[in-house]
């Protein structure tokens, strides 16, 4: 039992350290770019020794790749929980999509620097982690695809919907709208942005008038 507790304690401390490194890396890279950011700076910002960075990650590139996995993993979990919570409450698929839009906005509002980096990296093709980025992106989009497919199957959505493209469009809509909100319309509340996207969803996907 003591050995198990000790192992759990080490695991918890390591996860906390990795979280600090993620936060330091995403902030610095958002401020000055990946190439200009050094491991020394990441360690200093995180409040750890340089060796701690290499103990947890083999290189700066590996750290960033794991950062992408970690961040998109959190987003994916948020979307999935929003859909499942709606289903438990007896809501329909449009309600699930609406809840996922809000969950996405909440995530982006909480992690704006990560979101900016993620969107920027989607358009680059010369990165070592490009294949990883495509995999984790698809994981997030797949959650939306699942809800759309279920909606088509139960007749809530038209069977003419292109599910993969519509799912990508919905995720992209939330990302771009949220970044525009934060960069150019910060006076708007999260509720304002959600309401606008919700009305678009209701009219374009659900076929209902708000």
């Amino acid at each position: 039992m003591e050995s198990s507790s000790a192992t759990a304690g080490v695991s918890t401390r390591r996860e906390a350290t990795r979280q600090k490194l993620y936060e330091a890396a995403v902030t610095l890279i958002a401020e000055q770019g990946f190439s200009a950011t050094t491991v020394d700076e990441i360690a200093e910002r995180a409040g750890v020794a340089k060796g701690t960075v290499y103990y947890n990650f083999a290189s700066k590139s590996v750290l960033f790749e794991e950062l992408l996995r970690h961040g998109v993993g959190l987003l994916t979990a948020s979307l999935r929980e929003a859909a499942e919570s709606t289903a438990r409450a007896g809501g329909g698929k449009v309600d699930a999509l609406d809840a996922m839009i809000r969950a996405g906005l909440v995530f982006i509002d909480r992690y704006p620097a990560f979101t900016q980096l993620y969107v920027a990296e989607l358009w680059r093709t010369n990165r070592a982690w490009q294949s990883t980025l495509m995999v984790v992106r698809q994981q997030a989009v797949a959650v939306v695809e699942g809800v759309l497919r279920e909606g088509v199957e139960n007749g809530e959505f038209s069977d003419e919907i292109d599910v993969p493209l519509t799912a990508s469009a919905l995720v992209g809509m939330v990302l771009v709208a949220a970044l525009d909100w934060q960069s150019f319309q910060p006076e708007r509340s999260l509720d304002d942005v959600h309401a606008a996207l919700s009305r678009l969803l209701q009219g374009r996907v659900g076929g209902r008038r708000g």
Side-chain angles (χ1 to χ4, degrees):
M1 182 67 71
E2 290 181 0
S3 177
S4 177
S5 298
T7 300
V10 171
S11 178
T12 300
R13 287 194 297 276
R14 185 175 185 188
E15 186 55 39
T17 298
R18 290 169 72 93
Q19 185 62 42
K20 288 195 296 184
L21 291 171
Y22 287 144
E23 292 172 359
V26 75
T27 302
L28 285 166
I29 295 170
E31 290 174 354
Q32 57 196 31
F34 177 81
S35 297
T37 299
T38 66
V39 171
D40 286 332
E41 289 173 320
I42 293 172
E44 182 179 359
R45 180 68 65 96
V48 301
K50 181 178 180 179
T52 301
V53 180
Y54 289 114
Y55 175 75
N56 286 275
F57 305 99
S59 67
K60 184 177 69 170
S61 292
V62 170
L63 166 56
F64 191 63
E65 184 172 351
E66 289 302 312
L67 170 63
L68 291 172
R69 288 183 184 276
H70 176 72
V72 180
L74 291 176
L75 173 59
T76 301
S78 296
L79 297 178
R80 184 177 294 110
E81 174 56 28
E84 292 175 351
S85 294
T86 302
R88 289 194 295 269
K93 299 309 175 185
V94 172
D95 298 318
L97 292 175
D98 188 54
M100 293 165 85
I101 285 174
R102 185 171 187 87
L105 292 173
V106 169
F107 175 88
I108 294 165
D109 188 45
R110 184 176 180 184
Y111 303 108
F114 172 80
T115 306
Q116 291 169 9
L117 280 178
Y118 171 69
V119 172
E121 290 300 318
L122 283 175
W123 298 103
R124 294 194 170 99
T125 58
N126 61 341
R127 300 296 207 189
W129 50 78
Q130 189 67 23
S131 60
T132 296
L133 183 60
M134 292 301 99
V135 169
V136 296
R137 170 200 167 276
Q138 185 53 38
Q139 290 172 352
V141 173
V143 179
V144 184
E145 285 186 13
V147 172
L148 287 169
R149 291 188 195 283
E150 291 171 2
V152 171
E153 290 170 2
N154 68 19
E156 190 170 351
F157 301 144
S158 167
D159 59 9
E160 296 180 355
I161 287 178
D162 183 322
V163 171
L165 187 58
T166 302
S168 295
L170 287 171
V171 172
M173 176 183 74
V174 174
L175 288 172
V176 173
L179 291 178
D180 184 88
W181 157 43
Q182 294 180 337
S183 298
F184 304 112
Q185 305 180 65
E187 72 281 0
R188 291 184 179 273
S189 69
L190 190 150
D191 288 338
D192 287 340
V193 181
H194 176 225
L197 297 186
S198 181
R199 283 191 291 271
L200 181 60
L201 170 72
Q202 301 288 342
R204 296 294 179 82
V205 176
R208 303 186 313 201
R209 297 186 183 277

